[in-house]
Amino acid sequence: MEPQVVLVVQPGITLAEDYSVWLRQSLAIPVYVAVVSALVLTARSLLLTVQLNKMRARVAATGDRDEPFLDPDANMASEFVSASGLKVHISNSGGFTIFCSRLARLLSVLGLVVLSVMTYLHDLKNCVVFELPGAEFERELRTNRLLLDIALCLTYVYASVLATLSITASSKTVATTAIRHVNVLLLSSFGVYAYRDLWPLATSVLSPVDQPEGVVLWVKIVLLAFASVVIPLTVPRQYIPYNIKEPALEPNPEQTASILSLALFTYLDPVVSMASTLPHLSIDDLPPLPDYDHVKNLVARSFKHLDVFSGAPKRHIFWGLMKIFGGEYIVMAALVLIKVASTFLGPIGLNGLLKYLETQGEGDVIHPWVWVSILLLSSLIGSLAQQQYQVFTGLLANRTEGFLIQLLFEHALRIRMKADATPDAASEVLVPPDGADFVTEDRHTAGNSATSESSQASQTPDRKGKQKAKSEAVSEAEPTPSGDSEAHNLVGKLNNLATVDLTNILDGECDILSLVLQVPLQISICIYFLYQYLGWSAFVGMVSMLILFPIPGKFAQLLQNLQQETANATDSRVQTVTDTLAVLRMIKLFGWEPKMADRLAGKRDIELRFVRRKEILNMLTGIVNYVIPVITMIVTFGTYTAIMKQELKPSIIFPSMAVFDLLAIQLHSVFGSIILMTQAKVSMDRITDFLQNTELLDEYTTSAEHVVIDEAHKEEIGFGRASFTWSNDDAVSGAETPSKRKFVLRIDGEVKFMKGSINLIVGPTGSGKTSLLMALLGEMHFIPSGNESWYNLPREGGVAYAAQESWVQNETIRHNILFGSPYDETRYNDVVYQCGLKRDLSLFDAGDKTEVGEKGLTLSGGQKARVTLARAIYSSAKIILLDDILAALDVHTARWIVEKCFKGYLVRDRTILLVTHNVALASPIADHVVSLGLNGTIAAHASVSDAIAKDENLKAELAMEVEKIAEDSKEIYAEEPDTAAKDMDGKLVMAEEVALGHVTMDSLKMFLDGVAGSYGGTGAVFWIIYVGSLLLYSIGMSGQAWWMGHWAEQYNLVADPLKVSTFFYLGMYIALLLASMTLYAVAAIMFITGSMRASNLIHRTLVQSILGTTLRWLDTTPVSRIITRCTQDIRALDGPIADSFQELAATCIGVLVNLAAIVYFTPVFLFPGIVVAYLGVHLAQVYLKAQMSAKRELSNVKAPVLGHFGAAITGLTSIRAYGAQLAFRQESYKLIDRNLKVGRTHYNLNRWISIRIDFLGALFSTGLAAYLIYGPNHENTIPSNTGFSLNTAIVFSSNVLFLVRMYNKFEVQCNSLERIKAYIDIEQEPTATKEGIPPAYWPASGDLKVENLSSRYSEGGPEVLHDLSFHIKSGERIGVVGRTGSGKSSLTLSLLRCIITEGNVYYDGLLTSSVNLDSLRSSITIIPQVPELLSGTLRENLDPFGQYDDATLNSALRAAGLFSLQVDNDDSRVTLDSAISSGGGNLSVGQRQILALARAIVRDSKLLILDEATSAIDYETDTVIQSSLRHELKSNVTLLTVAHRLQTIMDADKIMVLDAGRIVEFDKPGELLKKESGWFRSLVYESGDKDALISIVSSEQ
């Protein structure tokens, strides 16, 4: 017999109230949805038609045929329509899989149409109505039912039309729209049937409404589930490019993954699988970055809300971020709501199960398997929502990091370079360049703009200036912003903003919803649930919580204050580390390693004291945050039982405990969130201040009024009635120098440079020569004196610039010369020849493919200057600005540059502005000269002859040079060395090594041995006490839950509930709580003490290793990497590594205790527990292989971004001069994209493992619940034991996930341990021994004897010195000369044993190879060509360790020639308390050399080596210094002077001439002059004034 539809109407109920087909009948809902869908599509079609008609009319009226259609897919649609063949259509639809899924959907909908027709026919034939009052009602009811069937049939027909359209439509927009509508329609239909026919199956009193349909019903539900759920969830999505004009060659898998794949992260399975088969995943093996997350697209999306130069309003960046991520935050808020709702499903399910056990199912409406399912769904839904929320937080973090780093970089390109002279101005973390950057020229088409009003005032309190010569020489000096030393503070500030502050912002940005939405919502629901379970006693508990609430607040305040103190101590140590590494070569040359190690150790001890206090306070805060909710629970349960006289049943106590746990978590997170938000607020304020208040160049200020330059000046190069300062906040008096005076460059009249000629800019040291060039480049602040004020530098033909402190990138020599210009072999070879680089390139194994290293450390000062010059000459710029490039060159090379380059065809018709001290050398080729006076004023400007006639100082200087300079006219490159490309890569700075596999045992053992310390010799006692305490603590924690269940069970064992002693059971619970907390505190304090001990030991070892390494290792290792080890990795060792290990140990022991508890009450679950543990470990192992690779790559891709910052800021003036900002911006895009690519995979891999472990734990706890309900002997199950088991199983499941996370977190963070270990195990110089300590009297003299000395820079490398033998008696003054690359600097390094040597060197009778290095180097003083100064006072630079009194220091300054350049009664003179900026940025190079010379004199060594120590000093000052050295040094001090200027060493006792690493001549100057074909004689006799040089020798004799 066929099933019949039975419709029952209760008597007395009207038809409208009981059965309204269109309003009350749920089957009508899909019909309503279909109607709405049809109306929406119709309205959209009409709107598009109207808009297209208007567009066509506009095109017809204007004749513009290029106006695009509104439909973004229109062009593509026409292409699809014209394409022939099914394959093309399938491909355009997204591929075969997507096409088949659409076809399957269509077939399913057609099946629904057939089934609906069958239902209609069935109802038409078999509809029977009982208890109907009349035939009229029967016909109306029958008609309505049949109409409903017809409506449903038509609904599915409409759905089939949409499904067909999704297959056949050529337009992606049409197909996508159809798919969305059909999915909503089918899903609504499935939801109706689920409510009518599936939900009743979960109850014991309801049955499916449509059950009479029989098999048709279930087939219909299956088809609906397949079409509306399975297909949308499992079908891959079609890739849609972010920019249709730039589709990705390989889209990221998440852009095409199905919804289910996105939810379960299965699209990462190929990455995880690949990682399991490879030792290491390189960055190329990781999925590509999605095109919508490329930095250029992020910039386009975000800069309009953040960057005022891109149209953003001037406001706090917080509001900009909210504007950018408004959509994401809405989705995240929805996920928070789902997550919070799912969280409370667990207590609901647990309550239902325990109630079922307590009543044995009597009167229950819901089947128990529903409660089991709710437990499962609680975990699954919560995990899905949580992981998707984390995905969005990762997206926000990744995207914010990308565009904020780029925003900081782009803003840095606009700021004015200023040198900060404040001793403490250096940054916390200073990361110099770690990578080179490819650049192409981005030429400006307009000249620098001059303004008639002061620019926007800066709020940056930096004060600039450089010291000048003569009476005010050192008090009004001009900075040299192109040098790297001036950029130190800015680089450090940018690195802090891009690392520390950005991390704080990311943490706060991602945590904001937790604080403002999740915490209040979850706490409110917790209170509601507790009220439902425990009545008004819940409010008593809440009152107790409010009373105790100030306690964690006070702890949080104390912790915040202590964190600030800790941060200050860390800053102090990091500052010392940064300063130390910045001058590490100087430290090694001076033998200061032990003293610097002690200084760093002292800073470290202070820091660790604060860290230890912070960790202990952190531990106490955690205990308080845990105990307060427990106290609340105790008060609540006590009130419920003792005052309300209620029974505490298992169905109440265990769900309540779960809710109290949730409450504890929220209370704990609220304080953490507040701290994170506070830190984020501070960091946002800092970045906002940097973006809005940093002083910018005049061209970027909004308050500047541009001067209208008349036609007469538009093509001219020069100034008219203008003044310039280094800061617009010092517009009147200039920027302060260390001596509190201001520097102003003043041009009272007009100064014009000759176009197409060489223009000289001359003047004494510190007079403002560099400032003149900077003013032309727009780097200084322009102060007009009237309407006639102007300055101009035409940029249409391009500008090239070579700084005084040569700026080179960490790239090959060729790359530095080309600087992005196209390679022209002929022009390139001519530039190399004319710039005197041909011989130098022949000395490198890889020729011009040799990497110059960080800051050009593989090149000498002269080589760097010539590479910088070659870059300017090779460029196509019509105007070339050269800042004293001849200062770093010897006489030969300087003459070569003048003769070959400045007279060559490459500079013909180009305008050259040359700053120089070599007036005599450069004046013959110059057509115009500008001479500066003492106060930053123009002394003269005219032709060379006129200027000399007008300027007496210039005339005197020229006369002095003519008398003393030896001008070598000999071509030094008689031979043509082979400079053809050599088959070597010239790699100097190698790619950072990446460890493979798991963290190495050596690294872990280093940490664990340090933690255990001396306990029991091997540390066994420490680990026994520590592990034992944690084990007892975990047992106590599980015992607390069991005891509460045991208490609840007592009410079932006694007849009178009042006999159950509330105070006894609460007292025992409190005792367990106190014991557990005590044990935890013991373990925690032990481990904190041990971890501090390990951290201190590792830091000390690392510092000693770096200080004791070789110069060659320093040459091949960027300072940024070393700083990272000493800052970032040490910071990880202090906190995250130690914290992760402690959490890992506690969680591991807790998991074992939980599993043991479960097995004790349910022995059969031993095997499932082991399986879960095994699967968890297996998943963790597979995951870790991928994650460790990603983490290691992430560590490596961040450094180049910061290195690019450093390289760009260090050479910012050069970059802006060349107009290469765009090229550096593009390079920044590339580096940040690489960083984001790895970061994206790193974030998502965490989600991959989390979702799987969550699901695994959910299955375990659900399986246990099902077994306890349906397993054998379930009738005898005790509810309290079941509650305890389920509670423990839930804790076990979450702890398994937490264990995997902690293990991963610990192993990933141990990457810092590996990195530290790698830098501990680097090559070392010989360590000090007792036998190497020299006698106390040594050295008593400066006697130096060398026998067969050979040296090389590396094992297996070529010899740079060959069998040198000579003897220098104590007190002799030796001059060392030779061409570039002859071995002069190598000789000085060999004497100090800084490179690998062979042969014997005797210093005061002792073999130097038998003396400890620190003793040897502290007894010899060397002054390198590039002096290095520390940030601080002048006194601290001369005497870093406080060993000398002021009289000694002042005497050294006098001997160095400083006091001869200033007047005693001048208030502006430099004193020992004058401040020196980092690197000496507020001093000229010459002034730094004077101070470095004074520092050397302070040491009072018996052997003093000057390596080009006066190359950047004008001739007059050099004469003063040389005179001081002759008269101030003691008679037993031996002086070795490496010099370019022959006049510097003509009065030496002996002169050593080196060539190609060999001594070609060594004798007294007079004897060398007697050699007819001698090298030295040829230099003197072929000079411009041999008589003057010979007279110096004669007078000395």
Side-chain angles (χ1 to χ4, degrees), residues 273-281 285 1185:
S273 177
M274 185 188 302
S276 64
T277 60
L278 296 177
H280 174 74
L281 286 181
D285 296 324
K1185 289 209 66 176

Side-chain angles (χ1 to χ4, degrees), residues 383-396:
S383 179
L384 287 171
Q386 173 66 23
Q387 302 315 318
Q388 290 305 310
Y389 178 85
Q390 292 295 335
V391 166
F392 274 91
T393 60
L395 283 176
L396 261 62

Side-chain angles (χ1 to χ4, degrees), residues 188-227:
S188 65
S189 183
F190 176 72
V192 167
Y193 277 103
Y195 174 73
R196 290 166 59 88
D197 301 308
L198 296 182
W199 162 244
L201 299 178
T203 69
S204 58
V205 296
L206 298 177
S207 59
V209 177
D210 301 308
Q211 188 173 4
E213 292 187 27
V215 177
V216 172
L217 170 65
W218 305 116
V219 174
K220 193 184 298 183
I221 291 176
V222 169
L223 288 178
L224 281 172
F226 177 72

Side-chain angles (χ1 to χ4, degrees), residues 350 353-355 357-358 360 648-655 657 1038 1040-1053 1157 1161-1162 1268 1276-1288:
L350 186 59
L353 274 179
L354 294 178
K355 275 187 176 180
L357 291 175
E358 288 171 355
Q360 295 298 314
L648 203 59
K649 298 180 180 178
S651 60
I652 293 177
I653 197 168
F654 286 107
M657 290 176 65
S1038 293
Q1040 293 173 37
W1042 176 85
W1043 182 256
M1044 296 301 286
H1046 176 69
W1047 178 15
E1049 186 62 28
Q1050 301 310 304
Y1051 290 98
N1052 296 326
L1053 301 179
F1161 288 100
T1162 315
L1268 293 174
N1276 300 324
T1277 301
I1278 300 175
S1280 61
N1281 290 343
T1282 301
F1284 172 73
S1285 298
L1286 290 177
N1287 184 74
T1288 306

